[in-house]
């Protein structure tokens, strides 16, 4: 792909109008959501969706999430039963993605990579909400990073891997949740990807053992065989080796601390998991850009959103 000039505009009416024009013309735009920055294009336009895959260098067997402004717009794309509607009512707008049967022809086939289900989400962030309403179209948006690289929680993280590959980034500061949305299979209530909405949020009152069996543990998908997409073992990867559960700093490492383990950088000195989630990807971006050859991360408890943090860290460490 030949390099194009990537513009960055602060969030506001002018930026949204500009972004909507780029999308109407079949382009893609990086826009913040409450989880991570997304790379958005018209989900009904195959060529526009192909542009997302091209900019990310993403294997086309990995399907994309479709963003809509509200439940009514979601029901135009996916088939909801009462259980799915109840989940939507509890968590939308917000960081929950539901995988549901797709209404035929609702979005370009490339979005779902040929599956007969579709992943839908109603984001809460003002910039993505404003863009959805300005476009009047469902927007397909994966995280705005080159395939297999760390997800972006700031505009400059987007530029780190997509500068020269996309037309526009809307900058509205750091994202609040910091981890990609929780993905739930709306038919079985299985968690396909842990995220900001924790097991305990989803299934209040259920014991820890039951909660863990709710995590889908299917085989890893291989090209052409999507069983549980989003479960690729290596994902969100920094370019350097990463050591988990590090209690101490070793020679040549950049240590990311948590709680009592102080590092070169610290996710949360007071051991707050929500603060740690919001800072995780920024810390990984900084570790990757540091002058050390390797990265280590302190142990993170598996409670609440800690399960999603550990999920991302295991994938980042996988080689
Ligand atoms: O927070 C988020 O979800 C962000 C923001 C931008 O909304 N988006 C995001 O998209 O993380 P992406 O493309 O990086 O991850 C989408 C995940 C993939 O792991 C994909 O395999 C899974 O959703 N997925 C998409 N459609 C699916 C389907 N029909 N069935 C199962 N998994 C699906
Ligand atoms: Mg991603």
């Amino acid at each position: 792909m030949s390099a194009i000039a990537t513009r960055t505009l602060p969030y506001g009416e002018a930026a949204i109008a500009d972004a909507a024009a780029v999308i109407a013309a079949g382009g893609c735009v990086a826009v913040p959501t409450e989880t991570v920055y997304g790379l958005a294009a018209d989900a009904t336009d195959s060529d526009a969706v192909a542009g997302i895959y091209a900019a990310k260098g993403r294997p086309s067997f990995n399907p994309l999430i479709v963003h809509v402004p509200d439940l009514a717009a979601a029901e135009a794309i996916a088939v909801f039963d009462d259980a799915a509607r109840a989940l939507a009512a509890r968590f939308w707008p917000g960081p929950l993605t539901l995988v549901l049967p797709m209404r035929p022809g609702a979005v370009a086939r490339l979005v779902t990579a040929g599956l007969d289900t579709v992943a839908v989400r109603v984001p809460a962030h003002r910039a993505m909400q404003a863009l959805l309403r300005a476009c009047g179209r469902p927007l397909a948006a994966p995280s705005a990073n080159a395939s297999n690289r760390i997800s972006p929680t700031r505009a400059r993280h987007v530029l780190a891997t997509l500068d020269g590959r996309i037309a526009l980034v809307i900058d509205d500061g750091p994202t609040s949740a910091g981890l990609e949305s929780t993905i739930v299979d709306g038919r079985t209530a299985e968690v396909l990807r842990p995220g900001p909405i924790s097991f305990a949020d989803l299934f209040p009152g259920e014991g820890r053992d039951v909660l863990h069996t709710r995590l889908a543990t299917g085989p890893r998908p291989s090209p052409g065989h999507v069983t549980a997409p989003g479960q690729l073992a290596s994902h969100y990867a920094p370019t350097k080796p990463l050591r988990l559960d590090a209690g101490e700093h070793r020679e040549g490492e950049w240590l990311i601390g948590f709680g009592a383990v102080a590092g070169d950088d610290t996710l949360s000195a007071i051991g707050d998991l929500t603060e740690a989630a919001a800072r995780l990807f920024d810390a990984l971006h900084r570790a990757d850009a540091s002058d050390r050859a390797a990265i280590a991360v302190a142990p993170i408890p598996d409670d609440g959103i800690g399960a999603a943090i550990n999920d991302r860290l295991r994938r980042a460490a996988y080689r």
Side-chain angles (χ1 to χ4, degrees), residues 179 194-199 201 208 212 258 267 271-277 280 299-314:
L179 295 181
I197 295 174
S198 70
F199 293 101
D201 296 333
R208 206 189 161 84
H212 279 273
F258 177 84
L267 294 175
D272 181 283
L273 288 167
T274 303
E275 179 183 37
L280 178 68
I300 310 289
D302 226 21
D303 311 316
I305 197 174
I309 296 174
N310 284 323
D311 170 76
R312 302 306 188 276
L313 285 173
R314 277 192 296 274

Side-chain angles (χ1 to χ4, degrees), residues 36 56 58 142-145 148-149 151-152 180 193 235-236:
V36 299
K56 284 181 65 89
R58 177 175 199 159
S143 51
N145 52 276
N148 281 334
R149 302 292 299 277
S151 288
E180 300 87 347
R193 179 175 71 184
H235 212 106
Y236 320 102

Side-chain angles (χ1 to χ4, degrees), residues 20-210:
V22 170
I23 286 173
C28 55
V29 170
V31 55
T33 79
E34 67 275 37
T35 58
V36 299
Y37 278 65
L39 186 59
D42 182 347
T44 67
D45 177 344
S46 306
D47 292 337
V49 175
I52 296 178
Y53 286 109
K56 284 181 65 89
R58 177 175 199 159
S60 60
F61 60 86
N62 203 0
L64 307 176
I65 295 174
V66 178
H67 299 67
V68 289
D70 51 34
L71 176 60
E75 296 216 32
I77 288 170
V79 180
F80 284 67
D81 62 11
D82 288 346
R85 225 171 265 123
L87 281 173
R90 275 170 68 206
F91 297 110
W92 282 352
L96 174 72
T97 294
L98 289 173
V99 172
L100 291 166
M102 182 175 66
R103 294 196 188 279
V107 296
R109 291 209 65 79
L110 196 53
V111 172
T112 59
L115 297 173
D116 53 11
T117 54
V118 63
V120 279
R121 139 164 150 81
V122 175
H125 196 283
R126 63 178 182 174
M128 185 54 131
Q129 270 288 339
L131 186 59
L132 285 164
R133 290 177 195 277
C135 292
R137 297 280 177 154
L139 297 178
S143 51
N145 52 276
S147 190
N148 281 334
R149 302 292 299 277
I150 306 163
S151 288
T153 56
R154 296 169 183 263
R156 65 177 153 74
H157 298 162
V158 176
L159 295 173
T161 65
L162 297 182
D163 194 15
R165 303 177 70 91
I166 58 174
L168 181 62
V169 183
I170 296 179
D171 185 353
D172 199 15
T175 63
S176 56
L179 295 181
E180 300 87 347
S181 60
T182 303
I183 304 181
V184 173
D185 186 322
R187 300 156 303 175
T188 61
E190 270 181 326
V191 175
L192 301 179
R193 179 175 71 184
I197 295 174
S198 70
F199 293 101
D201 296 333
L202 283 167
F203 311 113
E206 288 191 26
R208 206 189 161 84
D209 293 351
V210 178

